[in-house]
């Protein structure tokens, strides 16, 4: 009788251990699946494919240092996505949308500063050649969901439209 109780207790413990182990394995698998679905700057091709899936052109290339970049366009304006925090031209951490505009009469520094004072997203500047430039930085360290990336891309497009209007650029 005592032996039967010991066996039943051992079986219950074994079932409990098995259930806990199964639950832990399922949690780890789910965490890995969620991590795999995250988008980060280490995979420029995946970022380009996501943009293409939404109807935007996106061509992966390399900059002068060998780091990845994506050439794209929105609102009829060509721009690049630069990759930063790269290790040996790969495994990058952040991106920056960037565009410069060639204009007959570029905006003044005061107009650029006015844009920056009225916006929380994007940074306007003048290049050394006096061309208006707009950038929008985004860290992807640790990964972001595709929905988050696409929302940030929508924000970039909104800032781009506002900047084009502010400086009076005509494509």
């Amino acid at each position: 009788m005592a032996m039967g109780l010991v066996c039943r207790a051992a079986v219950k413990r074994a079932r409990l251990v098995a259930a806990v182990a199964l639950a832990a394995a399922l949690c780890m698998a789910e965490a890995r699946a969620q991590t795999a679905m995250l988008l980060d700057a280490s995979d420029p091709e995946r970022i380009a494919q996501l943009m293409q899936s939404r109807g935007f052109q996106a061509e992966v290339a390399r900059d002068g240092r060998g780091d990845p970049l994506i050439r794209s366009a929105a609102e009829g304006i060509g721009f690049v996505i630069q990759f930063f925090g790269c290790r040996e031209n790969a495994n990058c951490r952040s991106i920056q949308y960037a565009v410069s505009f060639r204009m007959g009469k570029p905006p003044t520094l005061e107009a650029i500063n006015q844009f920056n004072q009225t916006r929380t997203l994007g940074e306007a500047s003048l290049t050394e050649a006096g061309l208006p430039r707009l950038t929008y930085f985004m860290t992807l360290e640790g990964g972001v969901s595709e929905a988050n990336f696409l929302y940030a891309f929508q924000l970039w497009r909104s800032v781009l439209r506002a900047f084009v209007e502010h400086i009076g650029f005509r494509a």
Side-chain angles (χ1 to χ4, degrees):
M1 177 101 127
M3 184 63 122
L5 289 176
V6 170
C7 287
R8 276 189 244 148
V11 169
K12 282 184 179 181
R13 241 182 272 124
R15 285 184 183 157
L16 178 62
V17 168
V20 169
L22 179 60
L26 290 174
C27 287
M28 288 176 22
E30 183 178 339
R32 270 189 244 115
Q34 287 176 353
T35 300
M37 292 176 7
L38 294 179
L39 190 68
D40 64 30
S42 71
D43 194 350
E45 288 79 14
R46 185 164 168 225
I47 292 172
Q49 289 169 354
L50 179 59
M51 294 172 68
Q52 291 165 349
S53 75
R54 297 305 191 268
F56 293 93
Q57 69 182 47
E59 173 195 348
V60 178
R62 296 281 171 178
D63 67 15
R65 294 180 311 271
D67 290 338
L69 67 83
I70 296 174
R71 289 188 180 94
S72 188
E75 318 312 317
I77 308 290
F79 63 89
V80 296
I81 300 175
Q82 301 165 310
F83 288 71
F84 290 96
C86 305
R87 289 174 230 94
E88 299 179 14
N89 306 114
N91 300 313
C92 307
R93 295 179 173 174
S94 304
I95 62 170
Q96 178 175 268
Y97 299 88
V99 62
S100 296
F101 298 87
R102 293 201 180 277
M103 300 175 66
K105 185 177 180 207
T108 64
L109 182 57
E110 290 78 25
I112 295 294
N113 287 337
Q114 180 186 32
F115 181 84
N116 287 329
Q117 290 170 354
T118 60
R119 300 283 172 185
T120 57
L121 297 175
E123 181 180 12
S125 62
L126 293 175
T127 67
E128 288 181 14
L131 301 175
R133 176 175 170 84
L134 181 66
T135 58
Y136 178 76
F137 183 84
M138 182 179 182
T139 182
L140 300 179
E141 183 74 22
V144 298
S145 68
E146 288 184 358
N148 181 271
F149 179 85
L150 291 170
Y151 180 71
F153 182 59
Q154 177 185 334
L155 292 174
W156 158 250
R157 292 174 45 219
S158 175
V159 171
L160 178 60
R161 278 191 302 272
F163 187 66
V164 164
E165 183 179 318
H166 183 79
I167 65 173
F169 180 76
R170 304 284 177 247

